[in-house]
C-alpha cells in the first residue's frame, strides 16, 4: 500500500483516485482550496499531477519543498486550447511539461505516463478491444518501477507497458495530444489510447 496524493479533482484525478483506492492504496485528493495541495503532497510518498497542464508548472513549483524526494507522476498535457476547447498546440513544443517539471524540481523524481489516452482508459485498459500501450518516461529507474507497479494495480498488463527511457522522451508522448482533436471530430468522444503493434 502506498500513500498517494492526487492533485486535481476533475475527471482524470477523480477516476485515478477511485481506482487506486479500490486497489488498496491510501489516497488523498487535493482540490483547489488554499493549502490543500501542499497538505496532501506533504503526507504522500507518491504525488499524481492531474491538474490542467497549462498551469501545472506554476502549481507544482510552488510545492517544491513538499515534493522533495517524492515521486511525481505526471499524467497531464500542456496545451493551448482552440476556440472549441480542444487542444490546438503544445505550450512546450521543443520540450515537454514533464521535462519542465523535472528541471524545475531537481530533487523530485518525475515520471510521465498515462497521457496518451482518454481518462477512462487509464483505469480500464482492458475495456478496449485492442491492447493499449502505457508509456513511461523518467530519469530514476526505481521511480519508474514504482509507477509500473501502480499501473499493474490499475489493470495494465506488463506487456502493455513500455519504458521509453529518460524524461526527454516525454516530449514524444506529449505531442500525441495533437491527434486528439482530429480524432474526436472524426469519430466522436469515445475511449481511445495510443497502441504500439509489434
Amino acid at each position: 500500500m502506498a500513500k498517494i496524493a492526487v492533485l486535481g479533482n476533475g475527471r482524470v484525478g477523480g477516476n485515478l483516485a477511485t481506482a487506486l483506492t479500490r486497489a488498496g492504496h491510501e489516497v488523498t485528493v487535493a482540490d483547489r482550496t488554499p493549502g490543500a495541495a501542499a497538505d496532501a503532497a506533504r503526507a504522500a510518498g507518491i504525488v499524481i499531477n492531474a491538474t490542467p497542464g497549462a498551469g501545472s508548472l506554476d502549481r507544482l513549483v510552488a510545492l517544491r519543498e513538499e515534493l522533495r524526494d517524492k515521486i511525481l507522476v505526471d499524467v497531464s498535457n500542456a496545451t493551448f486550447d482552440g476556440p472549441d476547447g480542444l487542444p490546438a498546440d503544445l505550450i512546450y513544443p521543443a520540450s515537454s511539461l514533464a521535462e519542465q517539471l523535472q528541471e524545475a524540481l531537481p530533487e523530485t523524481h518525475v515520471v510521465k505516463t498515462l497521457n496518451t489516452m482518454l481518462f477512462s482508459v487509464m483505469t480500464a485498459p482492458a475495456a478496449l478491444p485492442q491492447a493499449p500501450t502505457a508509456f513511461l518516461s523518467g530519469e530514476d529507474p526505481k521511480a519508474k518501477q514504482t509507477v509500473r507497479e501502480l499501473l499493474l494495480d490499475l489493470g495494465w498488463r506488463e506487456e502493455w507497458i513500455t519504458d521509453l527511457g529518460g524524461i526527454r522522451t516525454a516530449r514524444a508522448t506529449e505531442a500525441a495530444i495533437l491527434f486528439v482533436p482530429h480524432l474526436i471530430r472524426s469519430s466522436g468522444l469515445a475511449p481511445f489510447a495510443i497502441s504500439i503493434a509489434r
Side-chain angles (χ1 to χ4, degrees):
M1 183 191 77
K3 287 188 175 182
I4 302 172
V6 178
L7 307 185
N9 61 348
R11 292 181 298 179
V12 174
N15 189 42
L16 287 169
T18 298
L20 289 167
T21 299
R22 190 181 302 125
H25 298 287
E26 183 179 329
V27 181
T28 301
V29 180
D31 57 23
R32 289 177 176 263
T33 57
D39 290 343
R42 190 179 298 112
I46 300 170
V47 178
I48 297 176
N49 174 39
T51 65
S56 288
L57 186 59
D58 288 342
R59 289 189 189 99
L60 292 167
V61 167
L63 302 175
R64 182 188 309 275
E65 290 305 314
E66 290 83 0
L67 293 171
R68 187 187 302 273
D69 296 325
K70 306 289 178 71
I71 296 173
L72 177 60
V73 184
D74 180 31
V75 303
S76 295
N77 291 303
T79 61
F80 296 110
D81 290 342
D84 57 1
L86 295 174
D89 210 348
L90 300 173
I91 291 177
Y92 309 109
S95 181
S96 64
L97 173 59
E99 288 173 86
Q100 296 294 312
L101 289 168
Q102 187 62 86
E103 182 177 354
L105 302 166
E107 295 177 312
T108 301
H109 308 297
V110 180
V111 179
K112 188 79 178 190
T113 194
L114 295 179
N115 62 308
T116 56
M117 62 200 69
L118 192 67
F119 72 94
S120 61
V121 180
M122 296 177 178
T123 59
L128 292 178
Q130 179 180 338
T133 303
F135 302 99
L136 295 171
S137 298
E139 297 299 321
D140 186 271
K142 290 183 179 178
K144 284 194 285 188
Q145 180 58 35
T146 297
V147 176
R148 180 186 293 270
E149 290 166 7
L150 287 183
L151 294 180
L152 296 175
D153 287 344
L154 291 173
W156 290 84
R157 298 179 187 172
E158 188 68 47
E159 63 269 24
W160 296 351
I161 304 170
T162 297
D163 186 342
L164 294 178
I167 201 67
R168 183 185 170 99
T169 64
R171 65 181 62 181
T173 60
E174 288 191 28
I177 191 67
L178 298 181
F179 278 105
V180 172
H182 310 298
L183 187 63
I184 290 173
R185 293 184 192 109
S186 171
S187 307
L189 187 61
F192 69 87
I194 300 293
S195 178
I196 302 300
R198 290 188 175 91

